Amino acid sequence: MAFSSSSHLLLLLLTTIFLTTLLLPQALASPANSNLFREYIGAEFNGVKFSDVPVNQNVEFHFILSFAIDYTTSTSPSPTNGRFNIFWDSNNLSPAQVASVKRRHGNVKVALSLGGDSVSGSPANFTVSSIDSWVSNAASSLTRIMKQYDLDGIDIDYEHFLETPDTFAECIGQLITKLKRNGVVRFASIAPFDDEQVQSHYLALWRKYGHVIDYVNFQFYAYDKGTTVSQFLSYFEKQSSNYRGGKVLVSFATDGVSGGLTPDGGFFRACDSLREEGKLHGIFIWSADDSMNSGFRFEQQSQSLLASAR
């Protein structure tokens, strides 16, 4: 059968559309290597400053202030329905010090993290009066803090929940969307770990609002101590599948008590394997506070590896 030139053009167009539809999800599901390094700071009130932490000029560096929590700052803190207060070491990590580190290092951005594990020794529970009121209060209070400190991004690290996964997803998803739309934040991340309740909440958030989340700071150090390289790589594949299409960062802790794959146990060998496969989307460390005693040697090693990752 003979085809006209218009038929050939139509066939070519349909073929192109088909191939694009087939290949685009694969491209979206496979972010490339990155030189992103992130570190939590300020939760332990041990005097650590931004200026203490070595910064490699050849990486993208995010400090993450830990934490802002929607609880009162009284001796017996109670939930505030989205009205956030500062719970990091603001004496040593002040607005002036944020301005100073960003002025000194053009590759540094500073974010804040919401929630965390505890407040004054009790669980920092995610609890709301209503979705609309929580989002309104959170957006208002966080906008004030973000502008006061000239911050760039937000991280979600709630670990205890008194609300359903759907409520959590709507509150956090709407909050991030609103802050981004208003130009208050440039990027957002989440910090889940392998716990049934935690994952149920963050995966509900990811399924509906993954498009507004830039990074997944997966807490690989919440796995058991003695994790091997092969186990770690298996965990990475599992979480990359859970948070499909997301930039899942690898991680370790320097507190001496957490689990997972440690630098001495082969963490950087695992990173080399991921880099060879184009899957090293970044590294984050918990935390600068803990690393101060060892002179930040693993921060330097992590950044050196990332600087050559692309």
Side-chain angles (χ1 to χ4, degrees), residues 26-291:
Q26 296 177 7
L28 291 175
S30 303
N33 287 335
S34 167
N35 66 345
L36 176 62
F37 177 78
R38 317 187 85 202
E39 181 147 46
Y40 290 86
I41 188 170
E44 297 176 18
F45 289 81
N46 67 349
V48 67
K49 299 179 176 66
F50 297 122
S51 56
D52 294 327
V53 184
V55 175
N56 186 317
Q57 298 302 314
N58 296 313
V59 303
E60 181 180 356
F61 194 116
H62 294 177
F63 283 109
I64 305 176
L65 292 164
S66 311
F67 293 93
I69 311 175
D70 52 335
Y71 271 67
T72 61
T73 56
S74 61
T75 52
S76 299
S78 59
T80 60
N81 190 40
R83 295 178 180 88
F84 281 87
N85 289 302
I86 292 169
F87 282 85
W88 66 77
D89 184 1
S90 56
N91 288 331
N92 289 296
L93 302 166
S94 66
Q97 286 155 332
V98 170
S100 176
V101 72
K102 290 170 74 171
R103 186 168 55 247
R104 192 165 58 250
H105 301 288
N107 59 322
V108 165
K109 296 180 177 65
V110 184
L112 63 76
S113 186
L114 306 185
D117 175 56
S118 63
V119 53
S120 295
S122 298
N125 290 310
F126 178 80
T127 181
V128 308
S129 296
S130 70
I131 293 173
D132 289 346
S133 64
W134 189 92
V135 172
S136 177
N137 290 338
S140 176
S141 59
L142 289 171
T143 296
R144 174 182 55 80
I145 295 171
M146 299 288 293
K147 289 184 175 179
Q148 178 188 3
Y149 277 77
D150 188 25
L151 302 179
D152 304 288
I154 192 170
D155 175 68
I156 311 300
D157 189 22
Y158 282 102
E159 302 183 2
H160 306 282
F161 308 90
L162 299 180
E163 307 295 344
T164 66
D166 286 343
T167 296
F168 177 72
E170 284 304 322
C171 286
I172 300 301
Q174 289 184 31
L175 173 64
I176 295 172
T177 301
K178 189 170 188 176
L179 292 177
K180 281 193 167 186
R181 185 175 60 238
N182 293 343
V184 178
V185 303
R186 299 164 60 184
F187 54 82
S189 59
I190 57 176
F193 57 93
D194 193 31
D195 169 88
E196 184 176 355
Q197 185 190 42
V198 170
Q199 289 281 60
S200 69
H201 284 73
Y202 282 95
L203 288 171
L205 171 62
W206 181 258
R207 282 191 291 269
K208 188 161 186 181
Y209 288 98
H211 60 284
V212 298
I213 298 167
D214 300 282
Y215 312 110
V216 180
N217 281 13
F218 200 85
Q219 299 183 46
F220 287 99
Y221 44 85
Y223 285 107
D224 291 341
K225 286 188 175 183
T227 295
T228 64
V229 171
S230 61
Q231 287 174 326
F232 180 88
L233 294 173
S234 174
Y235 297 152
F236 177 85
E237 292 300 329
K238 177 182 178 182
Q239 302 309 331
S240 295
S241 176
N242 283 337
Y243 298 93
R244 186 171 299 280
K247 296 177 181 177
V248 178
L249 277 66
V250 294
S251 60
F252 61 91
T254 56
D255 57 11
V257 297
S258 295
L261 181 62
T262 64
D264 291 334
F267 176 83
F268 294 111
R269 283 194 286 117
C271 288
D272 286 335
S273 296
L274 293 174
R275 178 173 57 178
E276 290 172 3
E277 298 178 18
K279 297 177 179 178
L280 184 58
H281 313 312
I283 296 171
F284 78 89
I285 296 177
W286 176 272
S287 66
D289 309 53
D290 297 306
S291 296

